[in-house]
Amino acid sequence: MGPSYKKMRVIALALDPVHVGAGGGRIGRVDLTIVRDPVTRVPKIPGSSLAGVYRTYVAMHYEERRQGNDRRPYYPNCAGLGLDEHSGHCRRPDCPVCTVFGFARGAGQEGGFAGLASFTDAHVLLFPVPTRRGPMWVTSPMALERIGKKASVEEGFVQVISKDGEKPEGNLNLGWLLLKVQDVSKGSVLSELPNSLGLPQYMHDRLALVSDSLFPHIVNSNLEVRTSVSIDPATGAAQEKALFSYEALPRSTVLVWEVIAKNPRLFKIGDQEIRLDRHRDPAGQGPEHVLEVVKKAHPYLEHLGVGGMGTRGMGRIKVIEPTGGPSAQAGGQP
Ligand SMILES: [Zn+2]
């Protein structure tokens, strides 16, 4: 039967500014704010948003590869909320979209199915900040904990990796904030991150660690804020008094989230076994096959993105993999 679940950690790099809207709520000069963690105030992408985006892209993937004798349109039917009685989720035990992401209970139909995959919120792991030394990517002990790393830094200090032969400098500005530099050249968590996460080369000696109490402050005061105009779809012209501002996570922010996949063999839909791949024996399917389905969305994230304003060149994110391949761990209890 195998393990009852398997977890996959996903690390992704923002190729564009990313705007996942909070749905109203003005903060200061910003009209369209992004979602924040209610406790830390650091912006995040809710797991429910991720699940919706993954579902859509997985449905697109299977639709593009649909064979002649497979009549179901995976996209758009199995994507979306599936609330339409006639064109909604197919709800079949051999649909990779409906089994992995679940389906709603339709009118006059049996109960819904929660789905085999669940998604945590996507959190900021590394955040780009302008400094006198050029851009630096800032993290905090709490952010590093999400990838299983332990680190600590004194309040009011910024830890950086100094280059060979370079003397540690006294102070470093992170945006408008001036912090004392603490050097951690040898064997620190910061110095092992680039390889363990598969970070792009340009970040390698540009990582910085600040305390958990400073991190939200630094992130929130260095978000991208843009101003745009609403276009009247009828005339194609800018609407009067339709100037609005919105905030976004800047390009090159590094995000982390987890996907938890349940073992399909522990579930049935109606009285039928789940077949993620209808050409494969259900007895040979485990949580790793659920993760395989989930990963079909990753190339689409890179081209179609997450969040709002996709038409304004926003939201594309690229999943990056550690040098030693993706990390997945199995366990007995979800
Ligand atoms: Zn379906």
Side-chain angles (χ1 to χ4, degrees), residues 129-131 136 138 158 172-179 210 218 222:
V129 179
T131 79
M136 301 280 287
V138 178
V158 54
L172 182 66
N173 70 301
L174 296 174
W176 295 102
L177 197 67
L178 196 64
L179 297 173
V210 298
I218 290 169
N222 290 284

Side-chain angles (χ1 to χ4, degrees), residues 17-267:
V18 175
H19 174 93
V20 175
R26 228 186 113 94
I27 299 183
R29 65 205 161 111
V30 178
D31 298 315
L32 300 177
T33 54
I34 50 179
V35 182
R36 285 175 166 76
D37 187 280
V39 178
T40 65
R41 304 304 300 155
V42 177
K44 67 176 185 180
I45 302 175
S48 55
S49 303
L50 278 182
V53 169
Y54 267 94
R55 174 175 206 129
T56 299
Y57 294 160
V58 168
M60 280 183 182
H61 168 90
Y62 284 100
E63 182 60 23
E64 281 172 11
R65 281 150 189 82
R66 188 152 62 92
Q67 302 292 320
N69 63 347
D70 184 4
R71 299 233 174 125
R72 301 161 288 180
Y74 293 106
Y75 186 85
N77 291 21
C78 299
L81 297 173
L83 297 177
D84 187 313
E85 206 183 320
H86 303 291
S87 59
H89 299 159
C90 76
R91 311 157 62 95
R92 295 172 59 135
D94 64 349
C95 172
V97 185
C98 291
T99 54
V100 168
F101 296 95
F103 49 79
R105 177 189 189 143
Q109 291 171 312
E110 302 266 300
F113 180 67
L116 296 168
S118 53
F119 297 79
T120 67
D121 296 336
H123 294 279
V124 174
L125 179 60
L126 293 163
F127 186 86
V129 179
T131 79
R132 177 170 47 80
R133 290 162 56 149
M136 301 280 287
W137 280 263
V138 178
T139 187
S140 81
M142 199 192 286
L144 289 174
E145 236 175 72
R146 300 188 196 286
I147 55 165
K149 307 270 183 204
K150 273 200 164 60
S152 63
V153 57
E154 267 179 82
E155 202 62 61
F157 279 83
V158 54
Q159 282 183 5
V160 298
I161 310 163
S162 68
K163 290 170 195 156
D164 287 339
E166 191 183 78
K167 279 190 181 160
E169 299 163 82
N171 292 301
L172 182 66
N173 70 301
L174 296 174
W176 295 102
L177 197 67
L178 196 64
L179 297 173
K180 285 175 221 138
V181 171
Q182 192 182 18
D183 225 289
V184 288
S185 44
K186 304 278 180 284
S188 70
V189 175
L190 285 189
S191 62
E192 70 187 39
L193 277 186
N195 282 332
S196 65
L197 300 181
L199 296 178
Q201 191 68 37
Y202 59 82
M203 289 184 196
H204 281 203
D205 49 8
R206 296 186 159 275
L207 302 182
L209 179 72
V210 298
S211 70
D212 289 325
S213 60
L214 279 178
F215 187 63
H217 185 75
I218 290 169
V219 170
N220 282 308
S221 41
N222 290 284
L223 289 173
E224 194 150 315
V225 177
R226 293 185 172 193
T227 302
S228 192
V229 284
S230 298
I231 302 295
D232 183 335
T235 63
Q239 289 173 336
E240 239 180 285
K241 292 181 184 165
L243 197 66
F244 67 96
S245 59
Y246 58 93
E247 57 183 9
L249 288 167
R251 182 178 286 127
S252 86
T253 298
V254 177
L255 297 160
V256 57
W257 65 90
E258 276 186 343
V259 186
I260 300 107
K262 296 176 192 148
N263 189 333
R265 296 199 58 206
L266 301 175
F267 297 87

Side-chain angles (χ1 to χ4, degrees), residues 2-20:
S4 71
Y5 79 100
K6 198 160 190 173
K7 269 194 209 176
M8 172 174 70
R9 183 184 298 138
V10 183
I11 312 270
L13 175 70
L15 302 177
D16 292 323
V18 175
H19 174 93
V20 175

